[in-house]
Amino acid sequence: MAEKVIMLGNEAFARGAYEAGCKVSAAYPGTPSTEISENIVQYEEIYSEWSPNEKVAMEVAIGASIIGVRALASMKHVGLNVAADPLFTVSYIGVTGGLVAIIADDPGLYSSQNEQDTRAIARAAKVPVLEPSDSSEAKEFVKFAFDLSEKYDTPVIVRATTRLAHSQGMVELNERIEREDKPYVRDFAKNVMMPGNAKGRHLVVESRENALEKDGCNFSINKVEYQDTSIGFITSGIPYMYVKEAFPEASVLKLGIVNPLPRKLIEEFAAKVDTLYIIEELDPIIEEQVKSWGIKAIGKEVLTVQGEYTANLLRKAIGGEKLSIAHPAQVPNRPPILCPSCPHRSVYSILNRLKIHGAGDIGCYTLGAVAPLSVVDTTVCMGASISTLHGMEKAKGKDYIKNWVALIGDSTFMHTGINSLINMVYNKGTGTVMILDNSTTGMTGHQDHAATGKTLMGEDANAVDIATLCKAVGVNHVYEINAFDTERLEKAIKEATAMDEVAVIITKSPCILLSKAPSKKQYHILPEVCKKCGMCMKPGCPAITKLENGTIAINDTMCNGCGLCEQACKFAAVKPVER
Amino acid sequence: METKNIMIVGVGGQGTLLTSRILGALTIQAGYDVKLSEVHGMAQRGGSVVTFVRYGDKVYEPVVEEGQADVLIAFERLEALRYAHFLKEKGAIVVNDNRIDPMPVVIGAAKYPENIIEELEQHHRVYKVDALEEAKKLGNSRVFNIIVLGIAAQHMNFTKEEWLKVIEETVPAKTIEINKKAFEVGYNLHS
């Protein structure tokens, strides 16, 4: 009997790629897709890499596919926006070796800047989409996707959501099937997308869509469960689980392929049930198409386009059940925060003191938008800090941004920030850019990138010297300062923002979580010296608490010993202790 | 068997993932179908985190919903209160009697609720422990979550030997002994 193990959805995706004979995997980390690559790396048969961004990752996979090797790209939903350019055109080119992209959506916004629906992009790109419902299907659907990709000469998207990617369930392991590489055949009409060739390929894409719509009706990954036919559900992915939980007696059409929709299968099912519901998280992608065929169905009239669904949500919206649920207690929120000893806190406490605005970016440092630091004014997307600051300057003149800086992390700078910096210099901007270099991709759980000196596969690699890179693109004023050297840092910020030229300040201090051992040094507050003024609390360190009696204390299980509070105290009441 | 619903709640960084993995491995060894649901990424950075564990003959939904939890394991007081309404009427709360102020409290925008344990006791069976203090007595404050898990074990249908075996297989080799000791402390506390 095959071995059965418990696996995270993302672990199962990786296993599926392994069993399918995939040989190349490229990705940029992003919650909730990161663990796919982190698990693929254990399979030595697969070359895997962190690319600097999702567009590069997609193109690496495309290259491998073109010369006949099975390849995978994985990313979060917003990453697909970055990779949309190659995706839309590889849809025309098709594949030689199977090409699969696993894209993870984030309904409920656990760790993202928007709640977009990948299926909408896939429809626009005319790329088939498969949607698994649990870890076991995650593995199987990836294998199915590789076969489908080669059979229909198309890239295939496997769509995940946070709940699938970060849930664990049982998976049966199978052997890897090694595949011979397909021979590369030079084919200009297929692989060179200039207008004349693309016209021909567009016809191929349309007929592929038609074929998939018909053939998809017989795919083994769709499931029809006829039970009580007075009520029927069309659903897919994780919402299938909520339907089964809330309406175990109902008939269900569970779609494994959600683009293009298997029309005949859906029409047959719709004809057999009295009332038809369409249950899909986020946008009404299935619903709008089904209704456009003249089929009567209920969907977003009673359900939301926001957030995650649950069985209770369906019970209430569809069953009309009045659930007697105790009310939640009214308690203070606990939003995510910068860790104790996070170097970003040191930088932000200076910016806060100097009343400087930050054009922000994507990473842990986005948390500088919340009180008490409140220095990050904007967050749009990866790399946008530098270019939005530049836009502000061009709109209102250089004096307007004298109290602004762009705030970006090292990994995000390598992702797309560098383009924006080149632009700022080229187009004669004068902005101050702060690169908060913590030597890792922090928020997603510490992945390497082109400036850390290590690859995903653990090999030593060239580490881009960010300061040299900035100078090379034409920045004449580059500072490198330890994030906790607040005196020098404050001076540099004042100097740089006053300048009529682009300046880059690189704050160099590794993410506190990179060091696994607990800090040897800690701080405590001498109660007899403390004046209870609260200056040490200004930077918002979670390890410092004001007790009921007004005394301020440092929590010894949380303090990591950065000493920012010691620097803030004017009365020498904060003292280091050896642990 | 009817599906059992366990929740593990706490503050990001308190080790909810390790605890849920021990519990997951245990349910598999016992031959159940199981689903676990976790929180990664931004939400974990010192935020409120919740992990769901469901096991039984056949499990569909990976999350536990309001009014369904058999056991709520809370590594922090305020988090116990935040999720208490997820418990079934006769559900049990195992709570680490520890306070970590959320940022709104630190900056004075909100007050940390008083008498949380007393409030919980009005509606539920509450088993509390100062696990940090107990863990320090063992010489390693990081094993506090296994002490809490030891208490919770009294409210699940697995033997002590099964628990110890899984702990041995799940935690890093160097910490097996201290983790086993920590489990025993919790297991014997309210028995």
Side-chain angles (χ1 to χ4, degrees), chain A residues 35 163 168 312 334 337 545, chain B residues 36-38 45 79 101:
Chain A
E35 299 82 7
R163 193 56 68 185
Q168 300 190 42
N312 274 351
R334 190 186 297 278
I337 44 169
T545 308
Chain B
L36 270 84
S37 207
E38 310 172 344
R45 291 280 172 270
E79 296 312 305
D101 285 356

Side-chain angles (χ1 to χ4, degrees), chain B:
Chain B
M1 188 192 90
E2 202 184 322
T3 300
K4 270 259 189 192
N5 297 318
I6 317 290
M7 285 173 70
I8 304 166
V9 303
V11 178
Q14 276 193 311
T16 49
L17 290 189
L18 173 71
T19 318
S20 68
R21 274 165 198 206
I22 291 172
L23 188 48
L26 182 67
T27 57
I28 292 162
Q29 290 201 350
Y32 292 113
D33 187 25
V34 57
K35 284 212 174 123
L36 270 84
S37 207
E38 310 172 344
V39 176
H40 300 212
M42 179 179 254
Q44 252 207 319
R45 291 280 172 270
S48 166
V49 293
V50 50
T51 301
F52 305 107
V53 182
R54 305 189 75 215
Y55 62 96
D57 298 331
K58 171 75 190 161
V59 181
Y60 288 107
E61 191 179 9
V63 299
V64 178
E65 299 193 50
E66 290 95 333
Q68 296 179 346
D70 295 285
V71 183
L72 174 66
I73 302 170
F75 290 150
E76 199 268 354
R77 270 201 318 259
L78 176 61
E79 296 312 305
L81 184 59
R82 186 187 313 283
Y83 292 102
H85 65 292
F86 276 74
L87 274 170
K88 276 183 184 159
E89 219 163 284
K90 289 196 176 132
I93 301 185
V94 179
V95 55
N96 178 22
D97 196 3
N98 179 240
R99 167 177 169 171
I100 300 175
D101 285 356
M103 201 42 67
V105 171
V106 172
I107 63 172
K111 249 186 89 130
Y112 194 96
E114 288 169 36
N115 310 321
I116 289 179
I117 303 287
E118 291 76 5
E119 196 176 328
L120 292 172
E121 278 171 340
Q122 285 183 17
H123 304 283
H124 308 284
R125 289 183 290 140
V126 178
Y127 304 88
K128 68 166 181 172
V129 60
D130 186 339
L132 222 53
E133 217 27 64
E134 296 292 331
K136 277 181 191 164
K137 281 187 214 160
L138 289 176
N140 186 344
S141 59
R142 293 165 89 167
V143 297
F144 78 91
N145 42 25
I146 304 299
I147 296 176
V148 179
L149 189 63
I151 302 174
Q154 293 282 10
H155 305 282
M156 283 176 258
N157 46 344
F158 304 100
T159 65
K160 191 169 94 178
E161 288 65 38
E162 287 175 307
W163 280 99
L164 290 174
K165 182 166 168 271
V166 165
I167 289 172
E168 213 172 290
E169 290 165 1
T170 316
V171 303
K174 274 196 279 184
T175 66
I176 289 176
E177 280 316 307
I178 181 100
N179 274 299
K180 281 164 83 172
K181 264 191 216 159
F183 181 83
E184 295 264 6
V185 168
Y187 197 78
N188 297 325
L189 205 64
H190 290 277
S191 63

